């Protein structure tokens, strides 16, 4: 130490200090920023700053989230989403519902393997089959042909049951109101005749809704070529195309005429049955009894109901099918879509 001091000319000395191992504790506290955003200086900072929290500037320039757009609610338009038929989308749906391809019914499994069912249609079927409901009970307790046709219509149009119920309620209400107006005081005594007429109208209406609804049933075997040709026609002229459903103008026009013939045959059958029952009910009454409404003959009733279903009903429900397809693709709300078609 002395030598070092002499070398430095005695101008410096070294002092040995003890080692300090203590640490300073820093206590942090939450601070509430109540200063008004830094004096409203944030706006003056270029390329950043939010100002005084008054949102004078729009942050959508940096985050294109569209927060300032107004939602029209039930009248908002629906973006057109195409149906997905690829295998990857089908596998995603099966995994989401904890299903496998071999757990599906035979007809649905064959359609999936052939790429005929979209992911949206598969979701509709699994949603109906996974939970106990009246629909599942109907599909499992009815014959195979009817069950397959019923499931195909539900898959083709998710609002099929709602439309059928609405049409039946509307037909029954208007029919009963007409019968009550025409029969007047004799309505109670002629309630059986009024019920026959209303039931005939409801059966004809159900046939029109059923036969003109989009159908996505598969695995239906046909023995003859003409059966395959007729089954390949669309249920209504505005039905959507898909795998093995490449409709042309010729097939759509042919489908329109074929459905007209089918509905005419169904209408004539219902008209003949209702005419026969009505005449039988009148015959059971006293001789010389004249009902408030003239009961037509069996032939007249059959021809009238056949013309109503095959000509008027087919044209109206074909047009409603096209309008319903347009409304379902444009509006987010199902009641709005049904309301548009109901008004027409």
């Amino acid at each position: 130490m002395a030598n070092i001091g002499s070398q430095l000319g005695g101008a410096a000395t070294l002092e040995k200090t003890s080692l300090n191992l203590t640490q300073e504790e820093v206590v942090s506290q939450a601070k509430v920023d109540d200063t008004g955003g830094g004096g409203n200086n944030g706006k003056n900072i270029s390329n950043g700053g939010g100002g005084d929290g008054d949102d004078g500037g729009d942050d959508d320039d940096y985050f294109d989230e569209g927060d300032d757009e107004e939602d029209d609610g039930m009248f908002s338009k629906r973006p057109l989403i195409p149906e997905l038929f690829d295998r990857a989308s089908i596998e995603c749906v099966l995994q989401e519902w904890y299903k496998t391809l071999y757990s599906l019914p035979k007809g649905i499994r064959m359609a999936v393997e052939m790429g005929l069912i979209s992911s949206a249609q598969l979701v509709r079927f699994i949603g109906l089959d996974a939970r106990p409901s009246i629909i599942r009970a109907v599909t499992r307790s009815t014959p195979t042909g009817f069950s397959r046709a019923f499931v195909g219509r539900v898959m083709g149009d998710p609002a099929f049951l709602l439309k059928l119920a609405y049409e039946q309620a509307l037909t029954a209400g208007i029919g009963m109101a007409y019968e009550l107006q025409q029969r007047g005081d004799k309505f109670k005594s002629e309630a059986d005749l009024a019920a026959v007429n209303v039931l005939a109208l409801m059966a004809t209406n159900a046939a029109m809704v059923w036969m003109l609804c989009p159908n996505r049933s598969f695995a239906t075997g046909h023995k003859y070529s003409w059966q395959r040709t007729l089954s390949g026609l669309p249920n209504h002229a505005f039905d959507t195309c898909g795998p093995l459903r490449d409709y042309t103008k010729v097939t759509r026009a042919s489908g329109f005429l074929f459905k007209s013939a089918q509905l005419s045959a169904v209408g004539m059958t219902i008209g003949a049955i209702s005419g026969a029952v009505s005449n039988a009910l009148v015959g059971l009454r006293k001789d010389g009894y004249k009902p408030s409404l003239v009961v037509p003959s069996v032939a007249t009733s059959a021809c009238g109901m056949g013309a109503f279903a095959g000509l008027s009903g087919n044209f109206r429900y074909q047009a409603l099918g096209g309008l319903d397809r347009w409304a379902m693709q444009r509006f987010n709300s199902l009641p709005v879509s049904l309301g548009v078609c109901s008004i027409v």
Side-chain angles (χ1 to χ4, degrees):
M1 298 293 292
N3 295 332
I4 296 175
S6 61
Q7 292 177 1
L8 295 177
T13 59
L14 293 178
E15 182 179 357
K16 183 178 180 181
T17 60
S18 61
L19 181 62
N20 185 10
L21 299 177
T22 60
Q23 296 181 354
E24 181 180 359
E25 295 182 0
V26 179
V27 180
S28 60
Q29 296 180 353
K31 181 180 181 182
V32 179
D33 187 5
D34 55 357
T35 58
N40 199 20
N41 293 325
K43 295 181 180 179
N44 299 326
I45 302 176
S46 60
N47 298 328
D52 194 22
D54 55 358
D55 199 16
D58 193 356
D59 59 348
D60 290 343
D61 295 337
Y62 305 98
F63 304 100
D64 189 13
E65 297 178 355
D67 294 339
D68 297 336
E69 297 180 0
E70 296 183 356
D71 187 9
D72 295 333
M74 64 188 320
F75 294 100
S76 59
K77 292 184 178 181
R78 174 184 300 175
L80 297 178
I81 302 177
E83 291 185 314
L84 302 177
F85 295 87
D86 58 291
R87 192 60 178 269
S89 300
I90 298 297
E91 291 293 339
C92 291
V93 172
L94 294 175
Q95 292 179 7
E96 182 180 0
W97 287 86
Y98 298 97
K99 295 284 186 178
T100 60
L101 182 61
Y102 294 97
S103 64
L104 299 175
K106 182 178 179 181
I108 302 297
R109 183 171 69 249
M110 292 175 59
V112 170
E113 292 175 347
M114 297 174 63
L116 303 179
I117 292 183
S118 66
S119 58
Q121 295 170 359
L122 185 60
V123 167
R124 294 169 195 166
F125 169 76
I126 297 178
L128 294 176
D129 190 70
R131 294 182 291 267
S133 62
I134 299 177
I135 299 177
R136 191 177 75 169
V138 171
T139 58
R140 294 186 177 184
S141 60
T142 53
T144 304
F146 177 82
S147 176
R148 183 179 294 130
F150 179 76
V151 173
R153 280 162 174 79
V154 174
M155 292 174 62
D157 186 1
F160 166 70
L161 293 178
L162 183 60
K163 294 175 183 177
L164 180 61
Y166 174 81
E167 290 283 344
Q168 290 289 284
L170 187 64
T171 302
I174 295 178
M176 291 301 296
Y178 176 79
E179 293 288 338
L180 182 60
Q181 180 185 7
Q182 294 297 320
R183 299 185 187 276
D185 298 336
K186 293 185 178 181
F187 179 79
K188 291 184 178 180
S189 61
E190 298 177 355
D192 52 351
L193 296 175
V196 171
N197 293 336
V198 173
L199 290 176
L201 290 175
M202 293 179 64
T204 306
N205 175 265
M208 290 188 291
V209 175
W210 175 272
M211 297 175 65
L212 298 179
C213 176
N215 187 13
R216 299 295 180 265
S217 61
F218 307 98
T220 303
H222 301 288
K223 183 177 180 180
Y224 302 102
S225 60
W226 62 270
Q227 292 177 327
R228 291 190 294 270
T229 302
L230 294 179
S231 64
L233 298 177
N235 275 10
H236 66 83
F238 302 96
D239 199 357
T240 57
C241 297
L244 299 184
R245 291 185 289 110
D246 189 12
Y247 302 134
T248 62
K249 294 181 180 179
V250 176
T251 56
R252 294 181 187 276
S254 301
F256 179 87
L257 298 176
F258 177 63
K259 290 301 177 182
S260 179
Q262 274 189 323
L263 288 174
S264 296
V266 173
M268 291 182 66
T269 303
I270 296 174
I273 295 174
S274 64
V277 173
S278 297
N279 283 277
L281 291 175
V282 173
L284 294 177
R285 286 174 166 81
K286 297 179 180 180
D287 295 339
Y289 179 80
K290 292 183 179 180
S292 302
L293 293 177
V294 178
V295 178
S297 62
V298 176
T300 303
S301 179
C303 293
M305 192 66 74
F308 168 74
L311 300 179
S312 175
N314 181 54
F315 180 81
R316 288 186 295 108
Y317 280 87
Q318 292 273 357
L320 281 176
L323 179 62
D324 179 72
R325 175 186 172 185
W326 176 85
M328 292 293 289
Q329 292 178 347
R330 294 300 186 276
F331 298 105
N332 283 327
S333 176
L334 181 59
V336 173
S337 302
L338 296 179
V340 171
C341 298
S342 302
I343 293 174
V344 176

